[in-house]
Amino acid sequence: MLTHAIYPFAAVVGQVQVKKALEIALVNQKTGGLLIGGEKGTAKSTLVRAAKEIIGEQKIIDLPLNATEDMLFGSIDIEYAVSKGERRFSPGILSRATNNILYIDEANLLRQELLTAVLDANASGINQVERDGISFTHTASYTVLGTMNPEEGVLPNHILDRFGMYVEAQSEKDIEQRVEVIKRSLDYYADIQKFKDSYAEDTQSLAAKIASARMLIASVDVSEAMMQLAAQMCAQAFCAGHRAEIYLLEAAKAIAALSERSYVLPKDVEEAAVFVLPHRMRKPPEQQQEEQNQQEEEQSDQNDELNQDQNDEDEERSDESPLTPPPFEDNEEDGEDEDNNNNEDNEDDKNKEEQAPDNDKNQLAPEEQIADIDKNFRLPKMVLDLGKDRNTRRGSGKRSTTKTDLKQGRYVRAEIPKVKVEDLAFDATIRAAAPFQRMREDNGCALNIKSEDLRQKVREKRIGNTFLFAVDASGSMGARERMRAVKGAIFYMLQEAYQKRDRVGMVSFRRQKAELLLPVTRSVDLAQKCLAEMPTGGKTPLADGLATALLTLGMLNKKDSELEPILILVTDGRANAVEENGNDPVESALKIAEKICKAKITSVVIDTETDFIKLGVAKSVAKAMGATYYSLRSLSQEQILRIVRNLDV
């Protein structure tokens, strides 16, 4: 971006915390860098780029999201290798970023292995390259500034911990402040140079403040009392590891230097904690246990109240109408009685039509019912943590990142081809051939390339996943409108599946068997229709439901070996359908669950059991399946529904 087009740092309205965190990171490189999160349009990138005018001779080096390993870490110098016939290292982005600022816009969208390598190299201070016949090591010391919008994806905790500081950028709520944002934006685009000149004095003052603090930072002393304070604060925050203490003191030193002091005060440590501790804080084990016990007590109290209300209602009904009168069959009554009876029957039929669904009025058994979909049920953001996918897959979608052998997707690296080259990596091929040019005969071409020099592109792209819902539709699921919440949760998942272009299927099990309600399809509308029309009633054939799901996924795998399906089991675990061979229904379900685990099927179990006496069968089934376990009640309290691949097999 051109210098004259940079929006002045001091002209940004509000964002006091973000500005302070940036000043700390720019003064002391040992703070571990800064990650700025926040919703779109909150001046995150504007503030980082505006820092160019207050950092003196330092440069801001951008790390693009499409950067390859060669671009980032460095590789062979092709021109030198061709002309001299020798290998020489050509520096990459990390080398240029040394003693400068490395800026990663949308850091959460960068490949996690690259982001981890960037942070590791900065922490260790060296970048070691072993590739293309080159072994080279150079110093790597830079300040990492990253921005991210959590709506586009979150970073795992182990990567967040590598950032020294984190700050949240929030939009202004005050009307006057929002109006001021509009005025300054209009003035900026009306006359950029005039606008910059109006803030030139503030910019120079801030640049001098940063430069003075950088000179003072080396002489800032940290007393043992401040070390004890930092250790105590990190221990009370239950931070994992000891990065927090180190970054906390380094940030406090920067705050002291910005205040033109050569010593750290308690208020400096407290201010630094606002940026260093929030993304590292964890709940104490005792509090987690207390919350769990409290939730169980609340559930038991609610269940007691529901049971009491149900008993009271049953008693009232029994008092009012102890017996249901037999149907009227005598047709020899007088016309007046017949008309009265017809009117009463019409009113009763009309009431029944209003209560029963239009589509299944005459198809449901007496004990069956159809629950509505609770469209107000809000599920947390669903994140698939499927680990490193080493298989090559095809398809399209917007959810999971995978390797692909199609000539589309992002080019991430090159490899020696195992078969005929179909997607040639020109840059890697030239690098492989360059050192041997002086030893090869002149064939009239600029480069003499042999077959052993050829390199294949490795590409990554996003594809959709396949979700198979195995839903318990027994009578116990219909109690207390439990099925309404279950349908709401599945409805929310189906909406997200539509956005991510996933394929979905649905298995329902009730009475004595399971059935495939919906074969795997991309029609999410059809899945929602099947969900809405799915009745509940009868016993719980849990084992048959799992067996049908396993059989369905096995047939899908035969048709498409690249498929990596996700099984979502929704049940209360009350398996009570009698097995034909007389086996215990729970033991049969656990055996099928173990088969699913051995098949390495990624699975999730959503436990809907909320009764006062809990059997815990669903949790045992989840353990046998190697599945991620959630309870339906706790889902509303979760921030992320994380689906993890079974890594124990």
Side-chain angles (χ1 to χ4, degrees):
M1 184 180 292
L2 297 176
T3 303
H4 70 274
I6 295 177
Y7 195 89
F9 190 93
V12 176
V13 178
Q15 303 299 352
V16 177
Q17 293 280 33
V18 180
K19 291 179 180 179
K20 186 66 174 182
L22 275 169
E23 292 175 13
I24 295 171
L26 296 175
V27 167
N28 190 357
Q29 189 173 300
K30 295 180 181 179
T31 54
L34 171 65
L35 179 63
I36 306 173
E39 56 189 10
K40 53 186 176 293
T42 50
K44 301 185 297 295
S45 300
T46 300
L47 281 170
V48 174
R49 298 192 183 280
K52 183 175 182 180
E53 296 184 336
I54 61 174
I55 56 176
E57 297 180 355
Q58 278 189 317
K59 299 178 181 178
I60 296 180
I61 308 298
D62 288 286
L63 174 56
L65 296 179
N66 61 346
T68 62
E69 296 173 357
D70 301 322
M71 294 170 56
L72 182 59
F73 304 111
S75 185
I76 188 173
D77 188 335
I78 297 176
E79 183 177 355
Y80 186 85
V82 171
S83 61
K84 302 294 184 180
E86 299 176 2
R87 292 184 175 89
R88 188 175 72 174
F89 180 73
S90 177
I93 294 176
L94 293 189
S95 178
R96 299 199 304 272
T98 299
N99 297 324
N100 290 303
I101 311 295
L102 182 63
Y103 174 44
I104 311 173
D105 193 12
E106 305 294 348
N108 53 326
L109 301 183
L110 183 68
R111 289 165 53 200
Q112 289 189 7
E113 60 267 27
L114 292 186
L115 181 57
T116 302
V118 167
L119 297 172
D120 282 346
N122 189 38
S124 63
I126 60 172
N127 175 36
Q128 186 171 355
V129 181
E130 299 283 348
R131 60 185 304 129
D132 296 326
I134 291 178
S135 179
F136 190 85
T137 301
H138 68 84
T139 58
S141 179
Y142 40 81
T143 300
V144 180
L145 298 180
T147 58
M148 62 174 281
N149 183 356
E151 294 178 356
E152 298 174 343
V154 295
L155 289 173
N157 291 332
H158 71 275
I159 294 183
L160 282 175
D161 185 63
R162 295 174 187 270
F163 281 95
M165 298 184 294
Y166 177 84
V167 66
E168 189 81 15
Q170 299 179 351
S171 58
E172 294 293 337
K173 303 294 188 253
D174 184 71
I175 298 299
E176 293 182 1
Q177 291 287 82
R178 296 179 75 95
V179 171
E180 184 64 23
V181 171
I182 298 172
K183 288 181 178 179
R184 294 188 185 184
S185 179
L186 293 176
D187 292 343
Y188 172 74
Y189 287 109
D191 191 335
I192 294 178
Q193 192 58 48
K194 180 181 178 181
F195 185 83
K196 288 173 62 67
D197 291 342
S198 64
Y199 287 93
E201 184 177 349
D202 294 335
T203 300
Q204 293 174 2
S205 176
L206 186 56
K209 180 181 177 181
I210 297 294
S212 175
R214 284 178 172 179
M215 295 179 62
L216 183 61
I217 191 71
S219 60
V220 175
D221 180 60
V222 179
S223 65
E224 186 173 348
M226 295 302 100
M227 296 181 189
Q228 291 180 354
L229 176 61
Q232 183 179 5
M233 294 178 70
C234 295
Q236 290 177 349
F238 293 92
C239 298
H242 301 285
R243 283 197 182 106
E245 286 93 338
I246 297 172
Y247 292 146
L248 182 58
L249 289 176
E250 292 294 344
K253 288 170 60 178
I255 294 173
L258 287 168
S259 300
E260 300 181 349
R261 282 186 277 102
S262 59
Y263 52 90
V264 176
L265 295 175
K267 65 177 183 180
D268 300 331
V269 181
E270 292 173 358
E271 186 176 359
V274 175
F275 308 116
V276 177
L277 298 185
H279 61 298
R280 294 185 170 88
M281 292 178 64
R282 298 184 301 172
K283 291 182 179 179
E286 299 82 6
Q287 184 177 348
Q288 294 178 1
Q289 186 64 34
E290 288 178 1
E291 290 180 356
Q292 183 177 358
N293 295 337
Q294 185 177 359
Q295 290 176 6
E296 292 178 354
E297 290 177 1
E298 291 176 355
Q299 291 177 11
S300 63
D301 293 341
Q302 291 175 1
N303 291 331
D304 290 341
E305 292 177 1
L306 290 172
N307 291 333
Q308 184 64 37
D309 293 342
Q310 186 69 29
N311 293 334
D312 294 341
E313 290 177 4
D314 294 340
E315 290 177 0
E316 291 176 1
R317 290 174 183 172
S318 62
D319 293 340
E320 292 176 359
S321 55
L323 293 175
T324 302
F328 185 80
E329 296 180 353
D330 192 356
N331 296 326
E332 298 180 358
E333 298 292 332
D334 58 15
E336 183 179 353
D337 292 340
E338 185 176 357
D339 292 339
N340 292 335
N341 289 332
N342 287 337
N343 291 335
E344 292 176 359
D345 291 340
N346 291 335
E347 291 178 1
D348 292 339
D349 292 339
K350 190 177 295 184
N351 293 333
K352 291 178 181 178
E353 288 177 3
E354 291 176 356
Q355 294 175 0
D358 294 338
N359 48 8
D360 282 335
K361 284 187 293 187
N362 300 319
Q363 299 177 4
L364 297 179
E367 73 277 4
E368 291 181 340
Q369 58 180 340
I370 293 182
D372 296 331
I373 299 176
D374 183 5
K375 295 185 179 181
N376 293 324
F377 189 94
R378 283 292 172 262
L379 217 63
K381 183 177 178 62
M382 188 162 56
V383 176
L384 271 61
D385 189 4
L386 302 182
K388 185 66 177 178
D389 187 4
R390 301 185 182 279
N391 297 324
T392 300
R393 306 182 190 278
R394 299 190 177 191
S396 60
K398 296 182 179 181
R399 188 182 293 276
S400 301
T401 302
T402 183
K403 290 171 59 179
T404 178
D405 56 2
L406 301 174
K407 293 183 180 180
Q408 54 184 255
R410 184 166 56 184
Y411 168 36
V412 293
R413 62 179 181 275
E415 64 179 7
I416 299 175
K418 300 179 178 62
V419 292
K420 182 180 178 181
V421 178
E422 295 182 351
D423 193 6
L424 182 66
F426 290 98
D427 55 340
T429 299
I430 294 173
R431 284 196 300 270
F436 305 104
Q437 293 306 301
R438 299 192 67 182
M439 296 181 289
R440 294 178 180 175
E441 65 278 7
D442 185 4
N443 60 356
C445 299
L447 287 174
N448 188 348
I449 297 177
K450 303 290 186 180
S451 59
E452 59 268 23
D453 302 327
L454 299 180
R455 297 293 184 269
Q456 174 86 15
K457 283 183 178 180
V458 177
R459 295 182 180 270
E460 285 184 354
K461 63 174 297 187
R462 289 191 177 274
I463 62 171
N465 288 90
T466 299
F467 290 91
L468 180 64
F469 293 91
V471 185
D472 183 352
S474 62
S476 59
M477 291 288 291
R480 306 189 189 97
E481 294 192 346
R482 187 184 301 166
M483 197 61 187
R484 189 169 180 267
V486 168
K487 287 188 175 183
I490 299 176
F491 179 78
Y492 188 90
M493 290 182 182
L494 291 175
Q495 285 184 317
E496 186 175 350
Y498 174 77
Q499 297 171 359
K500 302 294 185 181
R501 299 180 185 174
D502 297 319
R503 296 195 299 172
V504 294
M506 191 174 299
V507 172
S508 169
F509 54 95
R510 63 191 181 101
R511 291 182 175 176
Q512 296 296 329
K513 65 176 183 178
E515 59 178 334
L516 181 62
L517 281 184
L518 178 70
V520 174
T521 176
R522 289 193 181 274
S523 177
V524 177
D525 292 337
L526 187 58
Q528 292 179 1
K529 183 179 179 182
C530 289
L531 179 68
E533 297 176 354
M534 182 174 63
T536 58
K539 296 185 178 181
T540 308
L542 179 57
D544 196 49
L546 292 174
T548 303
L550 181 60
L551 178 62
T552 303
L553 294 178
M555 295 175 62
L556 285 174
N557 188 55
K558 289 182 179 179
K559 294 180 181 179
D560 186 1
S561 59
E562 300 174 356
L563 185 69
E564 187 177 20
I566 297 169
L567 173 62
I568 298 180
L569 172 65
V570 185
T571 181
D572 58 5
R574 294 185 175 271
N576 54 12
V578 180
E579 298 285 317
E580 294 181 358
N581 51 14
N583 292 337
D584 181 74
V586 176
E587 292 182 359
S588 300
L590 292 174
K591 289 180 180 179
I592 302 297
E594 291 174 356
K595 292 182 180 180
I596 294 175
C597 183
K598 291 180 180 179
K600 299 182 180 180
I601 296 174
T602 304
S603 52
V604 179
V605 173
I606 298 178
D607 187 1
T608 64
E609 187 178 31
T610 57
D611 297 324
F612 178 71
I613 300 177
K614 294 185 178 181
L615 302 179
V617 176
K619 198 166 190 177
S620 300
V621 170
K623 185 176 181 181
M625 291 171 62
T628 308
Y629 174 83
Y630 293 97
S631 66
L632 184 65
R633 187 180 295 274
S634 66
L635 279 180
S636 59
Q637 301 171 356
E638 296 282 343
Q639 293 182 346
I640 299 172
L641 193 156
R642 190 175 295 278
I643 301 175
V644 184
R645 176 188 287 146
N646 181 9
L647 302 177
D648 298 331
V649 181

